Amino acid sequence: MLALRNGLNRALALRTLPPQIRSSFATGPRQSDGTLYEFRTYFLKPSKMNEFLENFKKNVHLRTAHSELVGYWSIEFGGRMNRVFHIWKYDNFAHRTAVHEALAKDKEWEQFLIPNLALIDKQESEITYLVPWCKIGKPPKEGVYELATFQMKPGGPALWGDAFKRAVNAHVDLGYSKLVGVFHTEYGALNRVHVLWWNESADSRAAGRHLSHEDPRVVAAVRESVNYLETQQNMLLIPTSFSPLK
């Protein structure tokens, strides 16, 4: 009788549990795949941009010997000038720690790094995950990139993930821009999503944007996601000669 009562109590408890909210951002794939992407932004001293990039170009092989560089860009439009933005891929947090420990012992890297730190005013870093429904896209040829950043309302992807996915896919499916990746911030400002787009040129990007604003299918998808949006900003990125993503 006691066993029967306990079984009945467990069954009733299960029935009273609230339904689980599933989101296209926040469940299995991200947790089972520890791959992370570090977004780094360097604010360079005025007049030192070209010098820094030329020095890094000569020594980039020292850095990429330790971990994968996804892309390296100068920021053309969108906020403060004299900035470079780069994305580094790591298998997990332990991998990133091991990479930085190895770099600290690399004498050649140290010889490059120490004098070039004087060219940098400030550094910023964010740790992000690629969302489960997206893989890094490979552009068909050289072009320009747009990094659009969306600060979403508190509540996480369980609240706004599906609506955001529909807004992104509306642009992709209708051919207005080439999607490179969608990233959700793990460390940095929370509830932030970065969308990296490729376009053939700044003018083709502008033309596609204007057309999408007049497409009722895009407007409907975006309008839904806007309900969960707090702020947004974007930057136009120009790939460097040594960037894997051109």
Side-chain angles (χ1 to χ4, degrees), residues 2-58:
L2 181 58
L4 179 62
R5 185 181 297 113
N6 289 339
L8 181 60
N9 287 338
R10 284 195 298 271
L12 289 173
L14 288 172
R15 290 180 62 185
T16 59
L17 288 175
Q20 292 186 349
I21 301 176
R22 298 191 177 276
S23 164
S24 55
F25 281 21
T27 52
R30 182 180 70 80
Q31 282 80 2
S32 63
D33 179 1
T35 302
L36 58 94
Y37 297 83
E38 183 175 10
F39 284 21
R40 281 184 165 250
T41 305
Y42 292 172
F43 298 72
L44 301 172
K45 292 182 178 180
S47 79
K48 298 299 183 181
M49 181 85 153
N50 290 338
E51 181 181 350
F52 178 86
L53 288 175
E54 189 61 32
N55 291 345
F56 194 84
K57 177 182 178 180
K58 294 175 182 176

Side-chain angles (χ1 to χ4, degrees), residues 60-203:
V60 65
H61 63 283
L62 300 175
R63 182 60 184 82
T64 54
H66 294 278
S67 63
E68 180 182 345
L69 174 63
V70 176
Y72 207 110
W73 300 266
S74 61
I75 298 173
E76 184 74 5
F77 303 129
R80 180 173 165 176
M81 301 177 68
N82 299 302
R83 287 181 294 164
V84 294
F85 171 73
H86 33 127
I87 302 176
W88 297 89
K89 180 180 178 181
Y90 299 96
D91 296 338
N92 47 44
F93 286 103
H95 179 214
R96 183 185 181 278
T97 298
V99 165
H100 283 263
E101 288 176 349
L103 285 169
K105 299 174 184 177
D106 189 325
K107 296 302 181 183
E108 286 187 279
W109 176 249
E110 182 181 11
Q111 289 173 3
F112 156 75
L113 183 64
I114 298 302
N116 282 280
L117 284 177
L119 307 181
I120 302 174
D121 266 341
K122 186 173 70 169
Q123 298 171 292
E124 291 182 352
S125 172
E126 285 184 282
I127 298 297
T128 72
Y129 288 107
L130 195 65
V131 301
W133 47 270
C134 178
K135 295 182 179 180
I136 297 291
K138 300 296 183 183
K141 57 182 178 180
E142 293 187 18
V144 300
Y145 292 75
E146 178 187 7
L147 183 70
T149 299
F150 302 86
Q151 186 63 49
M152 309 304 290
K153 290 182 178 179
L159 176 66
W160 40 257
D162 290 327
F164 193 90
K165 178 182 178 181
R166 286 191 287 272
V168 169
N169 285 341
H171 289 82
V172 174
D173 295 342
L174 296 167
Y176 289 117
S177 190
K178 169 73 174 177
L179 179 64
V180 178
V182 181
F183 304 84
H184 184 210
T185 299
E186 180 75 3
Y187 285 97
L190 298 179
N191 298 297
R192 175 178 288 178
V193 185
H194 300 282
V195 184
L196 185 61
W197 301 97
W198 173 91
N199 285 279
E200 188 172 348
S201 67
D203 287 323

